[in-house]
Amino acid sequence: MNLNFLDFEQPIAELEAKIEELRYVGNDAELNISEEIARLQAKSRSLTESIFANLSPWQISQLARHPQRPYSLDYIQRIFTDFEELHGDRHFADDPSVVGGPARIDGRPVMIIGHQKGRDTKEKVLRNFGMPRPEGYRKALRLMEMAERFRLPIFTFIDTTGAYPGVNAEERNQSEAIARNLLVMSKLATPIICTVIGEGGSGGALAIGVGDRVMMLQYSTYSVISPEGCASILWKSSEKAADAAEALGITSSRLQELELIDRVIEEPLGGAHRDYDATASKVREALVAALDELSAIPLETLLEQRYGRLMGFGNFTEV
Amino acid sequence: MTTSWLQRLLPARIRTEAGNKKAVPEGLWAKCPACSAVLYRAELERHLEVCPKCNHHMRISGRKRLMAFLDETSREEIGEKLAPVDVLKFRDSKKYKDRLSQAQKSTGEQDALVAIRGELKGVPVVACAFEFGFMGGSMGSVVGEKFVRAVDAAIEHRSSLICFSASGGARMQEALISLMQMAKTSAALARLSKQGLPFISVLTDPTMGGVSASLAMLGDVQIGEPGALIGFAGPRVIEQTVRETLPEGFQRSEFLLEKGAIDMIMDRRQMRDRLASLLAMMTGRPAP
């Protein structure tokens, strides 16, 4: 089994292995096998297309958590210039599971805030597997308030399993840290553009996710609870995660249908991790378009619209 | 009830009567889950479901709480017609629709929040209380909308806002729509605050997850009921993450007070007087 591929991608992995093998053979054989390689490559492509045309919500959540998926810093590096990372909440510590600071996009100064997961084991631990503690959210709050003071539009990148569920996080009032961000973001006098790039895990995601535009990468997810968590509470078995993923409607296409997000950013065939540069350029295009659109709106109108958007969330009836 | 040889011998009609007789004392007496004292039901109600022997605060229904809390005159319910809809057709081991009708039947409420505008010892207030018996007090669209209407009513009538929370968090059956209620309710509180109107958040047992991480933690004054479980992540989830036993009293009101997360712990029976006094000071009125 090829670990670069998810279990539902294994038929693709097998084909790719065959192609590699042929290439190796091709070097010292007289036979012209380039035709055969081209044929297999075309087959691999169409197989990938057909698999990816029918992904289940559970398969999409595997992609959203793919170990090779691009993280916030991968996008920041490719989309922005002059990024200066700022650290610390000024009260307790610096939380490396949240990164942020000023940067430029198209020459325009902005503020960036994003969840950050780690790539190798050491970095994963350092970044607490991308699960922020209260100081991470308070650092984000500090940067957002700074952005408002200096009239910098804010870009947030959402990618977390959730806020860290730990003793120390509770001791420092995780709830308050999240709640405060929700309150402040609802009235912050500067455009806010949020993009879910991987996992949008519940309150931990929303704490940097209240804005004027909320976009999602095609194979990212956004949910009130993880499929596993939901399954273990409602089905009394975490093995029902696939059913829970289906019921929760966590995918970008479903959430756009429900009008909970504004835009879906398409990913390259096979997912964002297959081509970082191509994905980043799609994200960049979407960010610039949103920024242009929001910059044209007077601040007061923008804030009214943001409030109206928040108040519009919910479905109910009057009996 | 154990069936004795005597009951087996009795004719059916007599046995039924015997069963009825037994049901009467069950409603008359209650047992405190903390100190096991056997309490006279009417006395327990007079004490607002607080054990008169050991001060253990039992859960109380949202409506009952507000009825005992507010002045008896000039009460006006807010958003009482709001009712939930199941747009996602959510189904786990049970249909969400069925869970809703069951909860509506057992609690007599449309959803998990009750909101009433009235007065507290003459001080104009809007008070809301979660109904924990309604799907664990979970916050979905109706709770979010009703809370916002309560905030709007407070702004319109220049009243203070009080919320008694008791909730497991966001309602899973409304998926991401319920997560958005966290943002919605918090945004409304930003407006209330801008109007210079006070918000007192009373955290009762339990206040967890999405409710704790939004409206419940945004009070000007944060009050915990004695022994209430309050936190973001549930104790079981934390135990699984850190793989150690949690310290005693972890996430209880007393723990939060020590960590600086709440202002005080208050006995339920004192709340009418003390909150009226606090709000009168915060809104520049003479002592009630």
Side-chain angles (χ1 to χ4, degrees):
Chain A
M1 182 158 153
N2 186 332
L3 293 178
N4 290 333
F5 291 86
L6 298 166
D7 54 358
F8 62 88
E9 295 178 296
Q10 287 307 317
I12 307 169
E14 279 162 29
L15 262 180
E16 292 291 326
K18 229 181 239 172
I19 293 168
E20 270 312 295
E21 220 172 275
L22 274 177
R23 274 209 185 104
Y24 185 71
V25 174
N27 287 337
D28 47 25
E30 288 174 11
L31 276 167
N32 185 1
I33 50 169
S34 63
E35 250 175 57
E36 177 65 6
I37 290 179
R39 197 183 62 81
L40 285 177
Q41 277 173 333
K43 197 176 164 191
S44 164
R45 196 181 159 76
S46 73
L47 182 66
T48 311
E49 271 166 8
S50 77
I51 288 176
F52 274 73
N54 289 303
L55 292 177
S56 71
W58 178 237
Q59 288 169 332
I60 289 174
S61 71
Q62 303 303 302
L63 280 169
R65 302 167 181 173
H66 197 288
Q68 286 163 351
R69 198 170 170 83
Y71 299 149
S72 291
L73 287 173
D74 298 310
Y75 290 108
I76 293 172
Q77 198 189 336
R78 285 171 177 77
I79 295 171
F80 300 88
T81 58
D82 307 88
F83 175 56
E84 284 290 352
E85 189 179 347
L86 305 180
H87 293 272
D89 69 342
R90 296 293 181 273
H91 297 290
F92 182 78
D94 182 43
D95 183 344
S97 65
V98 175
V99 295
R104 287 180 189 270
I105 186 167
D106 258 354
R108 286 178 276 185
V110 299
M111 182 66 82
I112 306 173
I113 291 153
H115 295 114
Q116 181 65 34
K117 293 178 175 175
R119 198 63 71 184
D120 56 31
T121 308
K122 200 176 151 199
E123 200 201 353
K124 279 191 169 103
V125 171
L126 173 79
R127 301 204 184 271
N128 200 32
F129 301 85
M131 293 186 286
R133 297 188 166 93
E135 43 277 17
Y137 293 116
R138 288 177 183 139
K139 169 166 70 178
L141 180 67
R142 180 171 77 86
L143 299 188
M144 290 191 286
E145 286 177 333
M146 189 194 299
E148 182 185 46
R149 276 199 302 285
F150 303 120
R151 309 226 165 277
L152 303 174
I154 298 169
F155 290 101
T156 74
F157 295 101
I158 295 164
D159 188 15
T160 183
T161 308
Y164 184 59
V167 174
N168 51 17
E170 294 291 324
E171 282 175 346
R172 297 193 290 278
N173 210 351
Q174 186 74 285
S175 287
E176 193 272 347
I178 295 170
R180 186 67 49 197
N181 284 13
L182 303 181
L183 184 147
V184 171
M185 289 183 94
S186 77
K187 59 169 187 176
L188 211 62
T190 190
I192 307 175
I193 297 159
C194 311
T195 311
V196 185
I197 56 170
E199 285 184 279
S202 194
L206 187 64
I208 60 166
V210 180
D212 303 297
R213 291 289 181 276
V214 179
M215 309 190 281
M216 279 177 80
L217 275 172
Q218 189 177 4
Y219 302 129
S220 65
T221 55
Y222 199 177
S223 181
V224 67
I225 183 168
S226 72
E228 292 92 332
C230 180
S232 76
I233 297 173
L234 292 183
W235 278 265
K236 316 276 176 223
S237 154
S238 57
E239 274 154 34
K240 294 279 185 188
D243 295 325
E246 188 81 45
L248 287 166
I250 59 181
T251 63
S252 58
S253 53
R254 181 79 178 113
L255 295 173
Q256 192 175 30
E257 260 170 38
L258 292 168
E259 295 179 359
L260 294 169
I261 62 158
D262 303 294
R263 180 175 172 175
V264 177
I265 305 170
E266 214 180 286
E267 292 187 28
L269 183 64
H273 60 288
R274 299 274 172 232
D275 192 340
Y276 279 29
D277 290 340
T279 313
S281 93
K282 283 259 168 73
V283 172
R284 180 200 167 83
E285 179 251 320
L287 295 184
V288 171
L291 181 60
D292 285 343
E293 205 186 312
L294 295 175
S295 304
I297 303 171
L299 210 49
E300 212 162 292
T301 317
L302 186 78
L303 290 174
E304 277 304 318
Q305 287 176 355
R306 188 187 304 161
Y307 192 76
R309 173 201 173 89
L310 293 170
M311 293 307 122
F313 286 135
N315 302 85
F316 46 81
T317 176
E318 309 223 12
V319 291
Chain B
M1 183 168 63
T2 51
T3 318
S4 68
W5 60 271
L6 176 64
Q7 280 168 317
R8 256 178 276 136
L9 287 176
L10 288 170
R13 184 174 44 85
I14 299 178
R15 264 190 300 201
T16 320
E17 281 169 5
N20 279 348
K21 261 185 205 158
K22 189 163 189 284
V24 178
E26 261 175 21
L28 261 177
W29 298 94
K31 196 168 163 185
C32 172
C35 71
S36 300
V38 176
L39 307 165
Y40 187 42
R41 188 68 243 166
E43 194 193 2
L44 187 57
E45 268 170 38
R46 261 199 310 279
H47 282 267
L48 308 174
E49 309 291 322
V50 176
C51 173
K53 301 275 189 293
C54 74
N55 288 341
H56 174 69
H57 282 55
M58 302 175 205
R59 284 179 191 152
I60 180 170
S61 90
R63 187 170 295 273
K64 221 186 212 178
R65 182 193 281 274
L66 294 185
M67 290 304 150
F69 180 69
L70 293 168
D71 296 352
E72 272 171 40
T73 50
S74 69
R75 287 174 185 173
E76 191 183 310
E77 186 156 359
I78 296 164
E80 76 266 42
K81 288 183 177 155
L82 286 171
V85 288
D86 173 25
V87 285
L88 300 175
K89 305 263 179 291
F90 195 98
R91 177 183 196 150
D92 47 81
S93 52
K94 244 190 218 170
K95 281 188 196 160
Y96 177 37
K97 234 178 77 191
D98 295 342
R99 285 189 195 267
L100 283 174
S101 38
Q102 199 187 356
Q104 284 164 342
K105 220 172 128 192
S106 72
T107 60
E109 302 293 346
Q110 285 296 333
D111 208 304
L113 190 75
V114 184
I116 295 175
R117 187 170 71 82
E119 288 182 349
L120 182 65
K121 301 184 84 179
V123 179
V125 296
V126 172
C128 356
F130 279 77
E131 175 51 62
F132 189 75
F134 196 106
M135 296 186 72
S138 56
M139 176 162 71
S141 298
V142 170
V143 171
E145 177 68 18
K146 200 181 273 190
F147 187 82
V148 167
R149 290 194 191 179
V151 172
D152 290 345
I155 292 172
E156 189 192 339
H157 298 279
R158 300 291 307 161
S159 301
S160 305
L161 182 71
I162 301 159
C163 180
F164 299 93
S165 42
S167 171
R171 185 172 298 167
M172 279 178 284
Q173 290 84 351
E174 290 187 30
L176 199 69
I177 303 166
S178 38
L179 189 75
M180 294 307 155
Q181 304 311 310
M182 294 170 63
K184 179 172 174 172
T185 53
S186 302
L189 285 173
R191 292 230 159 158
L192 183 80
S193 176
K194 200 177 169 194
Q195 294 286 326
L197 296 166
F199 171 39
I200 294 185
S201 176
V202 182
L203 308 156
T204 82
D205 188 60
T207 300
M208 304 300 293
V211 170
S212 161
S214 62
L215 62 100
M217 277 296 167
L218 294 170
D220 294 294
V221 178
Q222 296 280 124
I223 295 171
E225 277 198 343
L229 186 75
I230 303 158
F232 176 65
R236 252 189 315 153
V237 176
I238 297 174
E239 235 161 2
Q240 281 161 13
T241 315
V242 298
R243 294 178 200 286
E244 56 184 276
T245 6
L246 302 172
E248 202 176 307
F250 179 64
Q251 292 185 317
R252 296 286 166 185
S253 287
E254 296 72 15
F255 174 88
L256 270 82
L257 182 66
E258 185 197 313
K259 298 294 172 192
I262 59 174
D263 291 286
M264 61 182 98
I265 294 171
M266 197 183 281
D267 190 302
R268 191 181 291 161
R269 292 161 293 185
Q270 297 179 349
M271 282 185 190
R272 235 181 91 74
D273 290 340
R274 288 176 68 188
L275 296 194
S277 160
L278 257 172
L279 286 175
M281 286 190 273
M282 293 167 89
T283 54
R285 285 168 208 278

